[in-house]
Every structure is written in structure tokens, then in C-alpha cells.
Amino acid sequence: MSNDRYASPLSERYASKEMQYIFSPEKKFRTWRRLWIALAETEKELGLDITQEQIDELKAHRDDINFEVAKEREKLVRHDVMSHVYAYGVQCPKAKGIIHLGATSCYVGDNTDIILMSEALSLVRKKLVNVIAELAAFAGKYKALPTLAFTHFQPAQPTTVGKRATLWTQEFLMDLEDLDYVLGSLKLLGSKGTTGTQASFQELFDGDQEKIDKIDPMIAEKMGFKACYPVSGQTYSRKVDTRVMNVVAGIAASAHKMSNDIRLLQHLKEVEEPFEKNQIGSSAMAYKRNPMRSERIASISRYVMIDALNPAITSATQWFERTLDDSANKRLSIAEGFLAIDGVLDLCLNVVDGLVVYEKVITKRLMSELPFMATENIMMDAVKKGGDRQELHERIRQLSMEAGANVKQKGLDNNLLELIAADESFGLSLDELQAAMDPAKYTGRAQIQVENFLRNYVNPVLEANKDVLGVKAEINV
């Protein structure tokens, strides 16, 4: 790495080597050559004067790309595709004349973009499934641990730690559904010419419509796709990029929401993300243990969510059959969006895998608020002993306000139970009241919901994807 030039943090700090390779020059230009071979094979099989010797020569030099030759040529002709056609021809003198036959630049450029996005989505998918698996294990482990729930970040009816984790998991499952739909719908551009009319093939095949109709399906099959888009201008519709990046942005939103919750819980000292033995939390405050990984998830996720606007605006501003103002933006937004979400998912894997739960802190906070939550049950017990519900409701309201003032204004412990026990209208002893303070009585169906959710919704997904489980992430702290 050169210290006197800007280096993208996405490459230096966040994205995995696998994702970086997908968007590397080597991967791109190797894919170009695969596409040129597929085109030549298709044209040969459909009767053009192309020999097997030429095909074999192209295949022999598919991966040993002469980058320097292409680079020097591009200085002269100022065209990246034609520079690589030239460089490939230097290595393949017998096949030189049939490379890129009948195609336009978008044949290699756009088809490669679809292929790279497809592979990038597959890598994202693998990591997303593993995040779901880790969250499912966490939810199952803590399915019955009562914790204070929050609405408006104010204490609310208790839930369980595992139930809260299912909320994060369900959003990631939605993202997986969206990803699978978009990934399954991706098609190649095929080879449709300068304005999408296949005019060059009309000429090459002397107007033989049957043969021309076979070109795109044959290319798609050779490149591992089911089909090509049925119509296009010079490029595939840039709406495809919008759909892809919307999926990526959706994953980022789910990760961001989870990271926010973890950061708030770490502030409450209930849950803590992994913290390395020698990690420094603050340069000034040696005691601090900041949720820096969750903060990084939030930070990069925001970048990804905003990045999704780029292909949307690009798609909306394309003119007729094509305009080139998509190119520079696309080179940045697609690759960097994928590098960023890759980093986010690695962080999610790392955080969830090492999440620490402080059960005693969770229980202490819950018990400090539980008397307020239990007032409905207490009132019903008092009614069974002959009390008047309306009168008891008013008394509980007054006593709750008194106990709340003791906590907020005087810094005392919550003494609501003592106040109720001292009020003869309830007819309940302190022992009877304390016996009602079992947190599990107030979590509703949380544990059952976790069990049902994991059994009916998560486990089938994990079973169907067991071949990609077991991914562990390495991150640069």
C-alpha cells in the first residue's frame, strides 16, 4: 500500500478478500474473455465460419491476461473494450479476427456487470444466512430469560432476551426473501447490438431469424444463466441495478436497527458486544468499553442505504436506448455498495457470535420496574378478596405515582409493594405481593413465540441452506 495516495477504507479495513476479488480488474477481464469465448462458440455452432482451432486458442489464453498490452493500447485508442480485444488478439493471432464478432461494448460490459452482481449477491446471501443462524442460536439460548421491554425507550411489559432477538432475525429473513427473489430474477443482457435491435446478427446470419433467436439463450446457458432479458436498448435496463441495491440497502437497514438496540443495551450494561483482551475503549477514559463494532455497523449501513439512491437516479435519467452518464456512477455505487454490505455482515457475524448477556443486571432492572407492571394482577387478587375494582384502580394509581416520585425525585428504591401492603383496602400482605413478582408470569407467550418462530420459520431456512453454514468473520478492529 502506498502511503502517499488515498486508499479506500472499504478495501483496507472493511470488505473481505472474497468480495474484493469479485470486483477486481482480474475478475472483470477474465469474465470478458469467458463472454468472448461463449459468443464465438455460439456463432460457430450456429454456422459461422469459426474453427475449433480458433476457439481452443481463445480458451488457452482465457486467464493469462496481458494487462500491460491492454493498458498501453488504451492510452492510444481511449477505449477499454477495444484495448482488451486488441490485447486478446495479440495472444490469439489465429482467432484475432473473430473476437467480439457482431457485438458492441455492452456485450462484455453489461453481461459482466450482471455476472458480478450475481456472484456478489451469492456471497452476501451466504453471510446473511449465517447471521440468521447465529441470531437463531442466541434467541434459542435466551428464549426464557425475562427482560424489561421498551416502547419509546420507556419501560414496558416484560419480554424475553430471546424474543427480542427474533425481531432482528425476522427482518433479516425478509431480506433473504427479497434477495432470493432478485437473485433468481437476474438475466443477462445477451448480445443485442448498439441499440438492442440485433442488426449486426441480421447481417451475419443473412436474416435467418431462427438462428438469431438462438443466440441469446445459447450465450446465457454457456454463462450459467437461465435467460437473457427479452428486450433492451444498448444496455440492460438500469432498473436492474436499482432492484439489486435496494436489496443490499434493506440488509443494511436491518443491521442498523439491530446495532442500535445492541448499543442501547450496552449502555444499560445488559448486553455487551465482544471486547478484545487488549482493546482500548478510549484514549482518555481507560475504563470505557465502547460498542465500536455496533457503531461501525450503523456507520457503514448508513452509507449503503444512501448509496441505493445512486442506481435509482441513474435508472430514472437514462435517455432512450442509452446514455453514458451511468458509467462512472455505476462503477462506484455498485462495487462499493457490495464491499460495504460485505463489511457490515462480517461485523454482524462477529458481534452476534460473541454477544455477552449480563443476566443479573437484566434481572435487577426488570425487578425494579416489575411492581408497576404487576399492578393489574395485584388488583385482580385484591378483587378476589372482596375489593372494589374501581376504588382499587384509583388507589394503585395514587400509590404508583408516590412510588415513582420516590424513585425519580428522592433516588430511593421502588417501594410500591410496601405501599400497597400498608394499604388495608387491598388486603394483601407483603409476602403475598412479593410472591407475585415472578418475572416469567409477565412475559406472556414470549418463550412460546420464540420456539414457534425458530421451529416453523428459521430452522427450515437453515436446513435448506446447511451447505453454507459455518462462516466465521475476521474483522479489523
Side-chain angles (χ1 to χ4, degrees):
M1 174 184 131
S2 174
N3 288 317
D4 61 353
R5 296 182 186 178
Y6 174 77
S8 171
L10 292 171
S11 297
E12 295 294 319
R13 293 173 67 87
Y14 305 138
S16 66
K17 292 178 181 177
E18 296 93 328
M19 188 61 82
Q20 290 185 57
Y21 179 72
I22 289 173
F23 291 98
S24 68
E26 181 176 298
K27 174 69 173 177
K28 178 170 91 169
F29 295 126
R30 282 186 175 186
T31 306
W32 282 16
R33 291 193 172 188
R34 286 176 57 216
L35 284 160
W36 279 321
I37 292 168
L39 178 63
E41 284 184 324
T42 296
E43 290 171 337
K44 175 183 180 295
E45 290 164 16
L46 290 174
L48 292 191
D49 187 15
I50 295 173
T51 67
Q52 188 59 45
E53 184 180 24
Q54 289 172 313
I55 300 291
D56 292 342
E57 188 180 51
L58 291 175
K59 289 182 175 179
H61 294 282
R62 183 186 65 184
D63 296 327
D64 58 328
I65 299 171
N66 46 351
F67 286 102
E68 288 305 315
V69 174
K71 195 173 183 180
E72 287 303 311
R73 184 68 175 177
E74 190 168 356
K75 288 179 183 178
L76 178 65
V77 300
R78 301 293 179 185
H79 196 288
D80 56 350
V81 173
M82 292 313 297
S83 299
H84 276 269
V85 169
Y86 173 84
Y88 204 6
V90 169
Q91 291 177 310
C92 306
K94 295 175 184 175
K96 180 175 69 171
I98 57 96
I99 298 171
H100 200 68
L101 183 60
T104 189
S105 298
C106 288
Y107 169 68
V108 286
D110 273 31
N111 284 315
T112 293
D113 285 348
I114 294 288
I115 291 165
L116 298 187
M117 287 194 296
S118 175
E119 292 189 23
L121 279 173
S122 295
L123 179 56
V124 167
R125 185 185 190 281
K126 180 166 73 171
K127 293 185 178 183
L128 180 59
V129 168
N130 278 271
V131 170
I132 291 168
E134 287 190 355
L135 279 171
F138 181 87
K141 181 177 180 180
Y142 295 104
K143 64 185 179 182
L145 178 60
T147 188
L148 192 63
F150 296 97
T151 59
H152 317 276
F153 202 27
Q154 300 298 311
Q157 267 194 348
T159 183
T160 68
V161 171
K163 171 63 193 298
R164 178 175 283 144
T166 64
L167 304 183
W168 306 332
T169 312
Q170 180 169 250
E171 292 196 351
F172 284 123
L173 278 176
M174 293 179 191
D175 296 324
L176 182 61
E177 290 175 356
D178 292 345
L179 190 157
D180 282 342
Y181 177 77
V182 170
L183 181 57
S185 73
L186 283 181
K187 301 176 179 66
L188 290 182
L189 168 69
S191 190
K192 293 185 174 67
T194 56
T195 59
T197 64
Q198 292 182 301
S200 59
F201 294 105
Q202 182 92 345
E203 190 71 23
L204 280 171
F205 288 96
D206 297 322
D208 189 328
Q209 302 306 313
E210 188 176 343
K211 286 184 177 180
I212 298 170
D213 283 340
K214 292 178 180 178
I215 294 171
D216 277 0
M218 290 173 70
I219 290 171
E221 184 178 3
K222 291 178 191 298
M223 298 306 297
F225 280 74
K226 294 178 181 177
C228 296
Y229 290 107
V231 294
S232 74
Q234 187 177 109
T235 68
Y236 67 77
S237 168
R238 295 313 185 217
K239 197 171 188 71
V240 176
D241 298 342
T242 308
R243 297 173 80 193
V244 169
M245 294 312 295
N246 281 345
V247 169
V248 173
I251 297 170
S254 301
H256 199 314
K257 190 269 192 275
M258 180 180 76
S259 75
N260 282 352
D261 287 354
I262 292 171
R263 290 160 66 191
L264 292 168
L265 290 168
Q266 185 151 332
H267 164 77
L268 298 174
K269 296 183 173 61
E270 293 189 6
V271 168
E272 192 170 77
E273 68 174 37
F275 198 87
E276 305 293 339
K277 181 180 178 182
N278 296 315
Q279 183 176 333
I280 294 173
S282 166
S283 61
M285 295 165 278
Y287 61 87
K288 289 192 78 180
R289 293 166 72 95
N290 300 330
M292 52 81 63
R293 301 175 200 209
S294 295
E295 289 171 324
R296 187 180 290 180
I297 290 171
S299 183
I300 305 175
S301 291
R302 284 201 297 273
Y303 174 85
V304 175
M305 288 187 281
I306 294 299
D307 187 53
L309 283 172
N310 278 301
I313 295 170
T314 296
S315 169
T317 55
Q318 289 296 285
W319 296 355
F320 303 114
E321 282 64 47
R322 99 143 303 171
T323 180
L324 201 61
D325 65 331
D326 62 335
S327 180
N329 185 287
K330 185 173 161 65
R331 286 172 191 260
L332 291 166
S333 61
I334 303 299
E336 296 199 350
F338 272 110
L339 292 179
I341 200 64
D342 182 68
V344 166
L345 288 171
D346 277 350
L347 286 162
C348 289
L349 286 168
N350 179 269
V351 168
V352 177
D353 183 48
L355 211 53
V356 180
V357 175
Y358 294 111
E359 297 189 23
K360 291 182 178 179
V361 177
I362 289 171
T363 300
K364 182 180 179 182
R365 176 165 288 106
L366 176 58
M367 295 308 294
S368 72
E369 298 286 347
L370 195 61
F372 294 124
M373 317 292 167
T375 52
E376 178 71 17
N377 291 35
I378 291 170
M379 193 164 55
M380 292 302 100
D381 289 342
V383 169
K384 288 177 185 176
K385 291 197 171 190
D388 181 291
R389 188 198 178 282
Q390 304 309 318
E391 293 178 7
L392 292 171
H393 183 277
E394 177 58 22
R395 284 300 297 147
I396 277 190
R397 187 185 70 80
Q398 294 171 355
L399 295 176
S400 295
M401 291 174 65
E402 183 179 342
N406 287 336
V407 173
K408 295 175 185 177
Q409 297 172 16
K410 300 178 183 179
L412 302 175
D413 289 337
N414 185 346
N415 68 334
L416 179 60
L417 296 185
E418 286 81 357
L419 292 173
I420 293 173
D423 190 316
E424 293 182 0
S425 60
F426 287 91
L428 296 169
S429 69
L430 185 59
D431 287 342
E432 287 177 308
L433 290 168
Q434 288 175 335
M437 291 300 105
D438 177 6
K441 291 181 179 179
Y442 302 96
T443 58
R445 299 183 69 246
Q447 178 176 340
I448 295 169
Q449 287 178 339
V450 173
E451 291 167 349
N452 288 345
F453 177 68
L454 295 179
R455 181 176 59 252
N456 298 328
Y457 295 94
V458 182
N459 291 344
V461 170
L462 299 182
E463 177 62 27
N465 292 280
K466 58 186 176 184
D467 57 319
V468 300
L469 295 178
V471 172
K472 298 294 179 184
E474 291 184 20
I475 66 165
N476 295 313
V477 178

